[in-house]
Amino acid sequence: MNSSLLTPSSSSSSPHHLQSPATFDHDDFLQNFFSSAPWPSSALDDDAPPPTSDSSLAGFHHHDVDSRNQITMIPLSHHNPNDAVDVNALYSGFSAGSLPFHFPQGSGGGVMKQSHTQTQSQATASTTTGGTAATPQTKPKVRARRGQATDPHSIAERLRRERIAERMKSLQELVPNGNKTDKASMLDEIIDYVKFLQLQVKVLSMSRLGGAASVSSQISEDAGGSNENTSGENQTAAKMTEHQVAKLMEEDMGSAMQYLQGKGLCLMPISLATTISTATCPSRNPLISAVKEAGVPLSPNAATTPLVNVKGASVVTVKDASSVSKP
Amino acid sequence: MASAYNPIYTDVPEKDVFALHFLQTLSNLRTQNSFSSPDNKTSDRVKKIKKAAYVSMARAAGGANRLWSRSLLHQAAKRNNKNVRFLRRKRRVTWLMRRRSNRGDPIEDVAAERLRNLVPGGGGMETSKLMEETAHYIKCLSMQVKVMQCLVDGLSPK
């Protein structure tokens, strides 16, 4: 209603009074105040306040409305203790009346716009103009549009992100199976690939020695899994996994590797496998040869054998480097 | 392996540079007394060879020009109690400041942390710099693997 609407509008005018106490005599101030403001506690008729409020608004809308938040502070600081009683009354009513304006301008304007009568719309127009004029003061931070960030921190942040994206793209070409669009999975892929390469170096440095016994034991330590299966079971299980892996390898090398890793197995060049198997235990030969013969022929680039279980322990293997670097 | 359009400089030398360095390191190892004696544990030999591989890779990749190679060589020298000094490049202060101010997404931070543990010398780097180093590291590693593989294939009994 009018009274509720006009208390904010009148309280908008009242700071102007309060902030220039020098120009107003206290009596004048009190008169203006009481004439214009229907406080929530007091009941006035609706006809009288609107014109006076309009005139007061017209008189004061060009004033700067700064620091509305300080409305409650001002009456006490600027007035005599003689007027303390009145001031206190003012203060209590004032704070009640000025509360709506502690909200940001948008909602205040929104509240204003819900009015329907003409006078109210006039008041809203003036208050919204006052409001829009006041936005730079009440909200000193201008919200920048996207892509036009003026804050140096956000610019630096953006630069940093661009830089990272650039590098990510170049890394994507290096790593095989780098077609993932998701940044997180791409990073995981990169990490796995670096681990894989380091493992390759390790295995190759071992294989050079020809100390295959220690090699296999070392590797089985690292790989950590050990299947205590019978040899018969091993064969059939190996065949099944072989087929599975071969199928996977045709589509996607990375997933094949992951499948193997999940089982605790890897691919291995035949030369290394024979070296290891002949060096460790001659009795293992039947198993190895059986597995090899049952091996599924993989793609020519791979030059690998199917899975090998040596001593029931998992064996780390090395893929042919050329297939690794091929995208 | 050099890509002309790549603005980030991650070129590595050819394979023979790596091979040369690696073979040099291996021959150095052989001349050491501890290596030829058989009563040594194989695991020690393995570790030595692995270290030799990494050191030679670091040297071949450009010595002190790359952060990861530098830290690798530092680590290796520390184990030998050698005092290796490198000419320190002038640190760009903006990089350090940026690291302290922006932490970035939590997604990439976790992964970046893992990457830092993997790549040598990754502890003090910004994420973008880290990724640059990773790219170069990956290239060098794959080159090294190729060299070693060729050696193994050449030397393995038919």
Side-chain angles (χ1 to χ4, degrees), chain A residues 23-24 103 109 166 213 241 255 261 275 302 305:
Chain A
T23 58
F24 281 100
F103 295 112
E166 207 180 301
T241 33
S255 62
Q261 279 173 21
T275 321
T305 58

Side-chain angles (χ1 to χ4, degrees), chain A residues 34 50 58 76 106 119 123 148 151 154 192 235 251 253 268 295 317:
Chain A
F34 282 124
L76 289 177
T119 52
Q148 282 187 15
D151 194 16
S154 44
D192 286 338
Q235 262 195 2
E251 353 174 299
M253 206 58 196
M268 177 183 270
T317 65

Side-chain angles (χ1 to χ4, degrees), chain A residues 191-273:
Chain A
I191 288 171
D192 286 338
Y193 188 56
V194 170
K195 275 198 222 165
F196 172 71
L197 283 176
Q198 285 177 342
L199 203 52
Q200 262 189 325
V201 170
K202 184 174 188 180
V203 167
L204 276 174
S205 66
M206 285 176 187
S207 73
R208 194 172 312 287
L209 297 176
S214 58
V215 168
S216 58
S217 61
Q218 274 258 333
I219 293 173
S220 59
E221 270 171 29
D222 299 337
S226 66
N227 307 326
E228 302 296 333
N229 293 332
T230 63
S231 52
E233 266 184 42
N234 264 351
Q235 262 195 2
T236 47
K239 270 187 201 165
M240 275 169 47
T241 33
E242 272 172 41
H243 287 286
Q244 187 70 19
V245 169
K247 217 171 30 167
L248 275 174
M249 273 176 88
E250 273 157 27
E251 353 174 299
D252 182 15
M253 206 58 196
S255 62
M257 290 296 289
Q258 281 173 9
Y259 177 79
L260 282 174
Q261 279 173 21
K263 291 201 162 279
L265 301 166
C266 277
L267 300 169
M268 177 183 270
I270 296 182
S271 51
L272 188 54

